[in-house]
């Protein structure tokens, strides 16, 4: 006999970590091409990233043929990010954890589907940290900021991070939960290729990141020039 289970959503005050967290009353704090980001309702040091199924399934989005056979569907991005975070953290061998990315705390069941719980990077006032794109739009791409960005990109290359979408919107400038100030990768990383050549070859990955960073830097310089 088939048993029908009724899904129940629980208030944020629940102490059971496996109950489904209700995100419906919460406002979206940030949004990407396929995911929404919520402030964690009980921990100010954390965010919750969930797949927006309406956007991720839009007809115009390019889908590789092999992705039709992946059982995890749109949640594949969670797997890719988590694997990359683990691999990078292992290579860094840092006691305090990954210093290049917003640190991953774990997974949570939510009313919006499976959620990836990540570190909240903040500005000096405790608000969500601005993206590099936003920083440049406000103050320009001055030599000191360019130096910091170049050092950050070289650190990503040295750690062999698979950074697919080298965009200023995927890098934030602020403080992590431990109070460390710097640049942090928050999206656009993790191997997505059927044959993971960039995971296999650090040299190929480096050339790919540098090529894409060059395009990003040109866009930032153009945005900076418009401020003058």
């Amino acid at each position: 006999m088939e048993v029908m289970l009724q899904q129940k959503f629980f208030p944020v005050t629940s102490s059971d970590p496996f109950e489904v967290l209700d995100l419906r009353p919460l406002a979206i704090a940030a949004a990407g091409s396929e995911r929404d980001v919520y402030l964690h309702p009980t921990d100010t040091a954390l965010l919750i990233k969930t797949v927006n199924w309406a956007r991720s399934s839009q007809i115009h989005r390019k889908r590789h043929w092999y992705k039709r056979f992946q059982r995890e569907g749109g949640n594949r991005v969670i797997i890719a990010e988590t694997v990359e975070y683990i691999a990078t953290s292992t290579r860094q061998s840092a006691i305090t954890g990954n210093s290049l990315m917003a640190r991953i705390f774990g997974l949570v069941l939510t009313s919006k589907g499976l959620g990836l719980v990540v570190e909240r990077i903040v500005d000096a006032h405790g608000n969500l940290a601005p993206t590099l794109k936003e920083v440049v739009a406000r103050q320009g791409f001055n030599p000191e900021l360019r130096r910091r960005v170049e050092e950050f990109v070289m650190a990503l290359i040295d750690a062999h991070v698979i950074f697919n979408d080298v965009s200023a919107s995927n890098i934030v400038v602020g403080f992590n939960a431990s109070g460390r100030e710097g640049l942090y990768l928050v999206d656009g990383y993790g191997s997505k290729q059927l044959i993971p050549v960039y995971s296999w070859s650090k040299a190929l990955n480096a050339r790919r990141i540098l090529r894409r960073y060059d395009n990003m830097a040109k866009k930032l310089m153009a945005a900076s020039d418009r401020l003058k």
Side-chain angles (χ1 to χ4, degrees):
M1 181 175 64
E2 183 176 335
V3 178
M4 301 299 291
L5 299 177
Q6 181 179 6
Q7 187 178 38
K8 296 181 179 180
F9 302 136
F10 293 85
V12 298
T13 55
S14 173
S15 60
D16 186 346
F18 295 105
E19 290 175 340
V20 182
L21 188 63
D22 191 3
L23 299 180
R24 292 174 299 179
L26 305 181
I28 296 172
S33 61
E34 295 188 8
R35 288 187 294 177
D36 294 326
V37 180
Y38 296 85
L39 302 180
H40 196 287
T42 62
D43 194 328
T44 57
L46 300 173
L47 301 171
I48 301 174
K49 299 163 75 172
T50 64
V51 175
N52 184 305
W53 299 102
R55 288 203 304 274
S56 67
S57 60
Q58 288 174 342
I59 297 177
H60 71 273
R61 290 190 178 279
K62 183 179 179 180
R63 284 285 183 268
H64 295 292
W65 63 268
Y66 61 87
K67 291 189 175 181
R68 298 198 304 268
F69 302 99
Q70 294 175 336
R71 294 179 298 164
E72 61 274 12
N75 283 317
R76 177 66 193 173
V77 65
I78 293 178
I79 297 175
E81 284 189 1
T82 303
V83 169
E84 195 60 35
Y85 175 79
I86 292 171
T88 304
S89 299
T90 301
R91 285 190 292 268
Q92 285 190 296
S93 301
I95 297 176
T96 56
N98 199 313
S99 62
L100 299 174
M101 304 171 179
R103 292 173 288 189
I104 291 178
F105 185 78
L107 299 173
V108 65
L109 300 172
T110 83
S111 56
K112 302 291 184 178
L114 193 63
L116 183 65
V117 184
V118 300
E119 181 176 34
R120 180 181 176 185
I121 311 299
V122 299
D123 63 15
H125 305 289
N127 302 312
L128 280 180
T131 65
L132 176 60
K133 182 178 180 179
E134 292 169 336
V135 171
V136 171
R138 288 201 303 260
Q139 66 183 47
F141 200 35
N142 58 63
E144 172 60 19
L145 182 57
R146 286 203 302 273
R147 180 192 62 79
R148 292 181 63 193
V149 173
E150 288 171 3
E151 288 181 352
F152 178 69
V153 170
M154 294 309 297
L156 293 176
I157 290 173
D158 185 59
H160 196 172
V161 176
I162 312 303
F163 191 9
N164 294 295
D165 187 4
V166 183
S167 164
S169 296
N170 291 330
I171 300 169
V172 298
V173 184
F175 302 83
N176 69 4
S178 301
R180 178 186 177 276
E181 195 272 340
L183 279 70
Y184 295 93
L185 200 56
V186 295
D187 205 355
Y189 61 89
S191 180
K192 296 182 178 180
Q193 295 75 35
L194 176 60
I195 300 176
V197 292
Y198 300 112
S199 296
W200 295 343
S201 173
K202 186 175 181 179
L204 283 177
N205 185 59
R207 286 200 289 271
R208 181 182 187 230
I209 289 179
L210 287 174
R211 183 173 64 251
R212 296 188 175 187
Y213 168 67
D214 184 58
N215 291 331
M216 183 186 81
K218 289 177 181 176
K219 292 179 181 178
L220 292 177
M221 287 298 299
S224 182
D225 289 341
R226 287 194 290 271
L227 294 176
K228 299 177 181 179

